[in-house]
Each structure stands twice: as structure tokens, then as C-alpha cells.
């Protein structure tokens, strides 16, 4: 009898199992986004292995997983830098100076928006609304740290803290 080959490493499988054991998801597919977060945390990005593991866990085709992950800016379809700097460039933040901040980051770090510096340290992304429109421009680091009311001086101070 053939032995089923799993694409899910044991450590990741136990995190998926913990997600499922919460009992919060009425349908298996409801776990797609949280499972992607867990896989990204495990692999550092939505690599081919991450896609395969999530697809196996949920019992859906890999293209379905890729289609969902590529829709959201919080999922990285390419290996990102150590620090992912997401700058909101939606309407309010743009009116408050987001484009100047993006241009400053590109010049200071020597990288185009959407790309990673050659040393692998920084990825700069222009993203849609980060949900703090009244306190723009808004920057988010690694999908976790939030920085509001930003300006060029504050951006320079922030970069100094990212070693
Ligand atoms: S427009 Fe930037 S946070 Fe909403």
C-alpha cells in the first residue's frame, strides 16, 4: 500500500492543528487566510512549499491558495527583505505626503518600490489603505509595527532603529 507523502513539515502541521482546534471556523476553507499567515511566519514568505502545505491542509488546489495570497499585500509572493516597509499611498495618505515619503525611501535606500535592497535588508512597498486614514501618512513594518503621522524626518529616525 502506498504511503501518503505530506508536504507539511511537522512543526507547521502542529500550528495548523492548533488553528483548527480553536473551533472558530465554520468551514474548512474559512481557515485559508489564517493558515497563510501561519505558513508565511514559518517560511518567511509564501514560497512554493508554503503554498503546497496550505493547499494540503485545506484540501484545495495550489492555484486556489496562490490566488488568495497574491490578492493581499500582507502576503509576500517573493522573498522579502528583513524589514518590509509598507507605505500607504491611498487617497488620504497621499494628500498628506505619502508620495514624498515613498520617493525619499527609494532615494535613501537605493531601491525601487516593490523591490528589495541588494543586501536583503529592506523591501519597500506602496500599499492600499492601512486603516488609520485620520493619522496619515501611515507606515507599517513587517505587518506588525504601525507608524502614524509620518514625515521625512520621522522616516529617517525610524530607519535608524532598523538594524
Ligand atoms: S489612506 Fe492611508 S491609512 Fe487609509
Amino acid at each position: 500500500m502506498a504511503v501518503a507523502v505530506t508536504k507539511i513539515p511537522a512543526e507547521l502541521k502542529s500550528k495548523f492543528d492548533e488553528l483548527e482546534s480553536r473551533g472558530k471556523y465554520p468551514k474548512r476553507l474559512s481557515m485559508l487566510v489564517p493558515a497563510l499567515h501561519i505558513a508565511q511566519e514559518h517560511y518567511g514568505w509564501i514560497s512554493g512549499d508554503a503554498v503546497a502545505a496550505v493547499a494540503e491542509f485545506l484540501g484545495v488546489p495550489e492555484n486556489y491558495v496562490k490566488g488568495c495570497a497574491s490578492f493581499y499585500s500582507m502576503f509576500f509572493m517573493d522573498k522579502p527583505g528583513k524589514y518590509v516597509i509598507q507605505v500607504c499611498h491611498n487617497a488620504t495618505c497621499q494628500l498628506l505626503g505619502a508620495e514624498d515619503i515613498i520617493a525619499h525611501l527609494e532615494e535613501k535606500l537605493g531601491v525601487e518600490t516593490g523591490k528589495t535592497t541588494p543586501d536583503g535588508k529592506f523591501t519597500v512597498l506602496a500599499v492600499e489603505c492601512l486603516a488609520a486614514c485620520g493619522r496619515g501618512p501611515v507606515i507599517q513594518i513587517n505587518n506588525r509595527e504601525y507608524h502614524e503621522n509620518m514625515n521625512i524626518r520621522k522616516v529617517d529616525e525610524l530607519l535608524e532603529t532598523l538594524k
Side-chain angles (χ1 to χ4, degrees):
M1 188 170 123
V3 177
V5 177
T6 180
K7 296 170 183 159
I8 311 177
E11 187 190 334
L12 184 56
K13 176 77 169 58
S14 75
K15 290 178 186 164
F16 284 160
D17 289 344
E18 191 278 322
L19 173 70
E20 193 169 14
S21 72
R22 293 179 204 165
K24 286 183 174 178
Y25 303 96
K27 293 182 183 165
R28 193 158 189 79
L29 203 49
S30 314
M31 292 186 283
L32 177 51
V33 169
L36 279 165
H37 278 291
I38 290 169
Q40 178 161 273
E41 193 79 33
H42 183 81
Y43 290 104
W45 61 298
I46 304 298
S47 62
D49 286 345
V51 169
V54 172
E56 182 182 321
F57 171 58
L58 297 175
V60 296
E62 292 187 12
N63 276 345
Y64 193 94
V65 175
K66 268 189 216 164
C68 176
S70 60
F71 178 79
Y72 294 106
S73 61
M74 71 270 204
F75 296 125
F76 309 129
M77 303 309 288
D78 295 305
K79 192 166 195 262
K82 180 178 179 187
Y83 298 108
V84 177
I85 304 173
Q86 295 179 319
V87 185
C88 171
H89 74 150
N90 219 304
T92 309
C93 285
Q94 203 170 104
L95 287 171
L96 293 168
E99 293 300 335
D100 292 342
I101 287 175
I102 291 169
H104 180 70
L105 282 168
E106 287 184 327
E107 190 183 330
K108 182 150 188 168
L109 299 177
V111 66
E112 281 175 46
T113 302
K115 299 274 179 7
T116 300
T117 53
D119 63 2
K121 192 166 173 189
F122 298 105
T123 299
V124 178
L125 299 176
V127 299
E128 301 308 323
C129 186
L130 287 170
C133 318
R135 298 181 299 280
V138 179
I139 287 180
Q140 187 172 231
I141 308 291
N142 290 350
N143 286 338
R144 287 198 185 92
E145 264 178 52
Y146 230 51
H147 299 272
E148 301 170 345
N149 300 308
M150 294 303 282
N151 55 40
I152 303 291
R153 178 185 55 79
K154 287 177 166 181
V155 167
D156 286 342
E157 288 170 3
L158 175 61
L159 289 177
E160 282 300 308
T161 69
L162 303 178
K163 300 292 181 192

